[in-house]
Structure formats: C-alpha cells, structure tokens
Amino acid sequence: MRLFLCGDVMTGRGIDQVLPHPGDPALHERHVKSAQTYIELAECANGAIPQPAGYEYVWGDCLAELKHAAPAARIINLETAITTSNDAAAKGINYRMNPRNAEILTTAKIDCCVLANNHVLDWGEKGLEETLDVLDAAHVLRAGAGRNFHEAAAPGRIALPDGRRILVFAFGFESSGIPPAWAARSGPGVNFVAEAGEDAVGRIAKQVEMFVREGDVCVASIHWGGNWGYSVPPAQRAFAHDLIDVAGFHVVHGHSSHHAKAIEVYRGRLILYGCGDFITDYEGISGYERFRGDLSMMYLPEFRKTGELSTLRMVPFQMRRFRLNHAAPGDAQWLQQRLERESATFGNHVVLNPDNSLSLVWQDT
C-alpha cells in the first residue's frame, strides 16, 4: 500500500486570486492589503502567471507523478479556510479560498484534508463551518476540525478495495501558533494539543480505540513547531515514539515547518518530523532564503500489510509562477544533502536517484 503525503497546501490569498473564481482579495496584514500583491511579487520574481489559471495549473508536474505512483490515498494539510466569511481573526495573516474554487482539491483527487492547523479558523467559526460544508459537498474527507470536539477528534476514514481502511487522525499543537481558544469543545474548533506529554498521548490513544479495527492503517497527522529551523526537540521525538508505542500509529505525518525536516524510522514505522510547504503564494517574498522554502516534497511511502515501512520515495518540486515544477538537478541535490544531514542523526541516509527523486535508506531505531 502506497500513500501520498505532503506538507502545507495554502490555496488562499494569491493562489485563490489566479484561480477561475477569485474571492474578495481584501487582507488585514500590516503591510499588504490585497491578495493581488502576492501575484505581483511572484511575477516580479519569475515572470507572468496566467489568469485565470486552470485548476490543473497549480498542481503542475505533481499530477503526472500522482498518476504514475497511483497511491491508495492522497492526504494533505489544507492550511486555508474555504469561505466567503469576512469575520477575520485578529491575527494579521488570514488565508481563505473562494468555495467556488474547491475544484482545485478534486482535480488532484485529494482523499483527505487535514484541518488541525493555525489557519483553518482565520475567518471565524462561520468560516470553519463553511469549510466543513464545502469539503463534505465535494466528497473530500477531513480530519482535525469539526463543529464540536467529537467531530474534530474523529478520523477521516478511507476505504480500500481489499476491505482495509486508512484512518487519518489530525492534531494541532499550540507550538504551531494555534490559539488555545480554537480548541473544539461544544462548538466548532480544532483537535487541539497544548503540549507533548504522556497525558496527551493517553487521550489520543483513547480517541484511536473508539474507531480502529483489525487491519486498519492509522496515520497521525500533526501540525507542530515553528516555521523555520531543523531541530527536533527531544519532547517532540518522545511524543512521536509514544504515538507508535502507546496509540498504535503506523505513520506520524508532521507539518508546520516551511521546509522539509528530518525523517526517522522507529520500530518499522515512519516519522516525518516536518514535510515543509507544498503549495504557497510565498514566491518573491524575501527572508529565510537559506532554507529554500521554494522547494517542496512529495512523500510516497509504501507499507507492508503489517503496517511497517517497506520503501520511501520522495519527489522534489519547486514552486515557480504559482506552479509545482520538477526541481532542477541541482535543487534536488540540495534537498538530498539537507535531508541526509538531518536524518543522519537517526542513522538514516537519503539517496539521490538518477531520475532526481530521493529514496530513504534507514536504520531502524
């Protein structure tokens, strides 16, 4: 069984403006008042962007890779509210996509959108509720946010032809910038975790017990940590291990960092500490260039029936003119070297293949 996993997919702001049905471009940022500005920045950096761009345009070369890989499930962290709400949260940076542009998700045949992140409530509870309604109408599963705690804690359940299921549980950490007030309780919110620890693992294990049955493959999709930096805090690593040992997860799918981070294989189970951004409108924005946030990664792990990792292939892309393009050989090598450096801490090696894809060679921890 093969999965497609990636990091943050931000289809709001500038991306929304180049799609067939752009929403209200008004922003509440300190220096930028219109989402159109992000198009201008990208075009100044790399050239003209078609307007309107078709839904396939933004996914670019990724679509052919997905067709070739034929994953059993396609799982993304959707870091954008899908809403026309004008109830902007007082946080400075607010992402939203016009609901009429939801076809961008079905064009890539996305199976499940993770919503436990620090942007899903950017436009208030009404914005979140509309996001849930739009995804339901598009028949795209969701996890990590809901109209109450029970809905937010429930997994996305992906049925496979052989009768097995992939269960996607999603959790949003305060360390990623999610306000505690966003936690789902009796009303709308996210499946919130204040900090890594045994108590949190115990609560999560109880959530899993309510839904899992024999043969299920369980994915823990976690929005945690800051945007920049490669370090993996000891508490984060211990938490990831406990999710496997105590809660029984087969994959830990971490995101929030704007760039790819270390990879670990623990007891045969895959831990991605940070998948990096995948689709953004950051093109042309200066700062933190040394992290190469313009480069993104498609993760294609393959699992045995026991849930243990058998292979991990990664395909690097570059976001250019608001389109995912195959990374140039030099850029693919740059990613290989960074991931090799960071993953070596866990005894793993990242190999650059002749087709510019990357593969993980691991030592189980």
Side-chain angles (χ1 to χ4, degrees):
M1 183 192 67
R2 183 181 298 118
L3 300 181
F4 161 57
L5 301 171
C6 69
D8 301 346
V9 173
M10 303 178 184
T11 55
R13 238 172 34 180
I15 300 293
D16 179 63
Q17 292 301 297
V18 302
L19 295 178
H21 304 286
D24 183 351
L27 299 176
H28 301 270
E29 300 174 14
R30 179 179 298 179
H31 301 294
V32 180
K33 302 305 177 185
S34 172
Q36 288 284 330
T37 301
Y38 289 96
I39 302 174
E40 296 167 5
L41 288 168
E43 290 186 327
C44 285
N46 293 313
I49 298 170
Q51 296 182 55
Y55 296 115
E56 293 185 353
Y57 172 83
V58 176
W59 295 102
D61 294 333
C62 171
L63 293 179
E65 289 290 346
L66 282 171
K67 183 177 181 180
H68 174 73
R74 306 179 184 199
I75 302 164
I76 68 171
N77 174 50
L78 181 65
E79 202 159 358
T80 303
I82 310 174
T83 182
T84 57
S85 170
N86 288 314
D87 186 15
K91 58 194 292 284
I93 297 178
N94 305 70
Y95 293 122
R96 64 179 167 184
M97 177 177 71
N98 190 334
R100 296 177 65 194
N101 282 329
E103 191 176 335
I104 193 172
L105 300 173
T106 56
T107 293
K109 300 179 181 179
I110 301 303
D111 291 293
C112 184
C113 288
V114 170
L115 302 179
N117 57 60
N118 59 314
H119 285 289
V120 75
L121 273 146
D122 277 359
W123 299 90
E125 292 185 357
K126 289 183 179 179
L128 171 57
E129 290 176 328
E130 187 173 10
T131 301
L132 302 175
D133 290 340
V134 171
L135 291 174
D136 290 349
H139 304 290
V140 177
L141 297 172
R142 49 186 170 79
R147 295 175 181 83
N148 51 55
F149 170 75
H150 295 291
E151 190 174 324
R157 284 158 275 191
I158 303 168
L160 302 180
D162 63 2
R164 291 185 297 163
R165 302 183 305 170
I166 299 167
L167 302 187
V168 182
F169 294 84
F171 313 96
F173 272 61
E174 186 173 5
S175 62
S176 71
I178 300 174
W182 285 17
R185 295 183 178 88
S186 59
V190 303
N191 195 15
F192 179 76
V193 179
E195 59 181 339
E198 292 182 3
D199 290 345
V201 170
R203 291 194 300 272
I204 289 170
K206 290 179 180 179
Q207 292 178 25
V208 174
E209 284 179 10
M210 293 175 61
F211 296 95
V212 72
R213 65 192 189 205
E214 187 175 356
D216 288 342
V217 173
C218 296
V219 178
S221 193
I222 309 177
H223 206 63
W224 57 2
N227 295 146
W228 306 105
Y230 290 105
S231 67
V232 176
Q236 197 177 82
R237 187 183 185 194
F239 189 82
H241 289 186
D242 285 346
L243 287 175
I244 293 168
D245 290 336
V246 180
F249 282 101
H250 300 90
V251 189
V252 177
H253 170 221
H255 36 82
S256 178
S257 60
H258 286 327
H259 53 84
K261 298 179 68 174
I263 304 168
E264 182 178 10
V265 179
Y266 173 70
R267 296 183 59 193
R269 310 291 175 91
L270 177 64
I271 302 173
L272 301 170
Y273 283 104
C275 290
D277 290 333
F278 198 63
I279 291 176
T280 74
D281 66 350
Y282 295 165
E283 204 173 333
I285 300 174
S286 60
Y288 300 100
E289 284 87 350
R290 69 185 185 278
F291 292 102
R292 293 299 308 272
D294 60 314
L295 300 179
S296 58
M297 194 84 76
M298 167 191 286
Y299 296 83
L300 297 166
E302 192 164 338
F303 303 90
R304 300 184 180 94
K305 285 191 176 181
T306 57
E308 294 182 343
L309 183 69
S310 59
T311 63
L312 174 60
R313 179 172 177 264
M314 297 162 281
V315 183
F317 296 94
Q318 182 184 41
M319 197 70 186
R320 188 177 178 87
R321 298 173 61 234
F322 284 4
R323 182 184 188 273
L324 285 169
N325 304 281
H326 281 301
D331 292 332
Q333 184 177 42
W334 188 93
L335 277 169
Q336 179 268 327
Q337 291 172 347
R338 293 303 179 278
L339 287 174
E340 168 75 13
R341 182 189 70 189
E342 299 306 318
S343 301
T345 303
F346 306 107
N348 300 333
H349 298 283
V350 176
V351 177
L352 179 62
N353 300 316
D355 64 355
N356 274 345
S357 69
L358 310 180
S359 295
L360 184 71
V361 180
W362 65 88
Q363 174 182 316
D364 214 328
T365 56

